[in-house]
Amino acid sequence: MNLQNKKLEPAVVALIALSAIWGYNWVVMKECLRYAGAFDFVALRTSLGTAGLFAVLLWQRKPLRPTEVPWTIVLGLLLTTGCLGFVTVALVTGGVGKTAILVYTMPFFALVMARPILRETLRGVQWVAVFLAFAGLMTIMEPWNLQSTTLSALLALLSGISWAGGAVVTKIIRNRRDMDLVSLSAWQMLFGSIPLALLALTVPERPIAWSWYFAGALFYTSVIGQSLTYLLWFYVLNRLSVGMAGMGTLATPVIGILCASIQLGERPSALEGTGMVLILSALALLTGWGGRQNRGLKEAIR
């Protein structure tokens, strides 16, 4: 028993580090937008992140040639162009906590998309989680009271939907071919960063205010917040159950909200706070259900 716990310790440490990096990355992204326009920033971020992932491929001495190119392009448009592009623009006027929570509605949109596309059915607990998430979403969005931040909230929601679409496309690709995940991540980010670079070149924005702080923040959000976390995520998935790994997803928006409160002084309204609690409760319910399903599968295999 003790030996098994010792084997799990490095993966648990990696999961904690992953959650902390992803969580604080929300504040870093918001701060970077003080120095650069949204399109310039996201183009720089994805370019550096892409370079970091290809550096990992070279370090691992893996083939650089892409496979399943059409599907990988679609994945890049969803995960990089859509998810990262929408969330960056959303953060220009939106608060970190609210934006993070709306983006992390992704698992619920993925469940809904997987039903018609992958023929995956929703089960009892999943329906409850989707209902809670939808209630939380409506509470945060306040469609009955349109405000200046409504566009930001819609963009954050589109980011989550794009992320969910990317998850479904990833499943389709993996069903077609057993691909190296680092290679898939690198190529999808390369394809997805091209439209963002074109937008940065064509959309007029204020000049980038280069400083040591901005350079360090850009390094953090691109190399550490993207390239390093991909490696940590794959490491965690290989050594922990799906349910336990999912706790990292649950912890990330919580850490983002706490960091935004401490560093940026953000305070959600009563309705926003209620919506956040509902969505986090849905995430916790979904994560717990996934963990039980995974343990049941392991017992069946034994």
Side-chain angles (χ1 to χ4, degrees):
M1 188 69 173
N2 291 334
L3 181 60
Q4 185 179 10
N5 288 337
K6 287 181 180 179
K7 288 182 179 179
L8 286 176
E9 282 177 5
V12 172
V13 172
L15 181 59
I16 294 171
L18 178 68
S19 302
I21 293 171
W22 269 348
Y24 186 64
N25 192 48
W26 285 97
V27 173
V28 176
M29 287 192 294
K30 180 71 173 181
E31 289 288 88
C32 282
L33 292 171
R34 293 168 49 200
Y35 298 86
F39 294 117
D40 285 339
F41 166 58
V42 73
L44 286 170
R45 179 191 176 193
T46 53
S47 297
L48 289 173
T50 300
L53 286 171
F54 275 102
V56 170
L57 281 176
L58 290 172
W59 172 62
Q60 293 179 334
R61 297 182 179 178
K62 291 182 177 179
L64 294 180
R65 184 176 179 179
T67 54
E68 297 289 344
V69 174
W71 279 112
T72 305
I73 292 174
V74 173
L75 183 62
L77 292 175
L78 288 169
L79 282 186
T80 299
T81 309
C83 182
L84 296 182
F86 285 133
V87 75
T88 303
V89 180
L91 280 171
V92 173
T93 57
V96 167
K98 183 175 180 178
T99 304
I101 288 293
L102 289 174
V103 171
Y104 272 85
T105 55
M106 176 277 290
F108 313 107
F109 286 112
L111 283 175
V112 174
M113 290 180 185
R115 191 177 187 187
I117 298 174
L118 301 176
R119 299 289 187 265
E120 294 181 4
T121 58
L122 289 176
R123 301 181 182 178
V125 174
Q126 291 176 315
W127 278 114
V128 174
V130 169
F131 175 78
L132 284 174
F134 180 77
L137 180 62
M138 290 297 100
T139 305
I140 292 176
M141 295 284 291
E142 296 182 63
W144 57 87
N145 181 27
L146 297 180
Q147 303 173 0
S148 59
T149 58
T150 301
L151 178 59
S152 171
L154 287 173
L155 290 171
L157 200 58
L158 285 173
S159 177
I161 293 171
S162 297
W163 187 5
V168 172
V169 171
T170 301
K171 187 73 174 288
I172 292 173
I173 294 173
R174 295 300 300 276
N175 287 340
R176 290 170 58 89
R177 183 194 296 260
D178 187 17
M179 294 183 62
D180 179 78
L181 289 176
V182 179
S183 175
L184 179 62
S185 300
W187 280 105
Q188 69 83 15
M189 187 169 285
L190 175 61
F191 291 135
S193 64
I194 293 173
L196 294 175
L198 292 175
L199 283 171
L201 291 172
T202 56
V203 176
E205 291 187 306
R206 69 184 190 275
I208 298 175
W210 286 100
S211 68
W212 285 111
Y213 179 87
F214 177 65
L218 183 61
F219 176 84
Y220 179 95
T221 193
S222 57
V223 178
I224 298 176
Q226 285 184 174
S227 301
L228 176 61
T229 53
Y230 271 123
L231 298 181
L232 287 174
W233 180 241
F234 299 146
Y235 177 80
V236 167
L237 283 178
N238 284 333
R239 287 161 176 79
L240 296 180
S241 68
V242 174
M244 193 169 183
M247 290 303 294
T249 301
L250 175 60
T252 297
V254 175
I255 294 172
I257 292 169
L258 291 174
C259 290
S261 176
I262 295 169
Q263 185 169 334
L264 305 178
E266 290 189 4
R267 299 290 186 272
S269 66
L271 275 177
E272 288 175 343
T274 302
M276 290 177 182
V277 170
L278 286 171
I279 291 175
L280 288 173
S281 299
L283 274 172
L285 187 63
L286 198 60
T287 301
W289 181 87
R292 287 193 296 273
Q293 289 293 108
N294 192 59
R295 285 195 297 271
L297 178 60
K298 285 185 176 180
E299 290 175 1
I301 292 173
R302 287 173 186 170

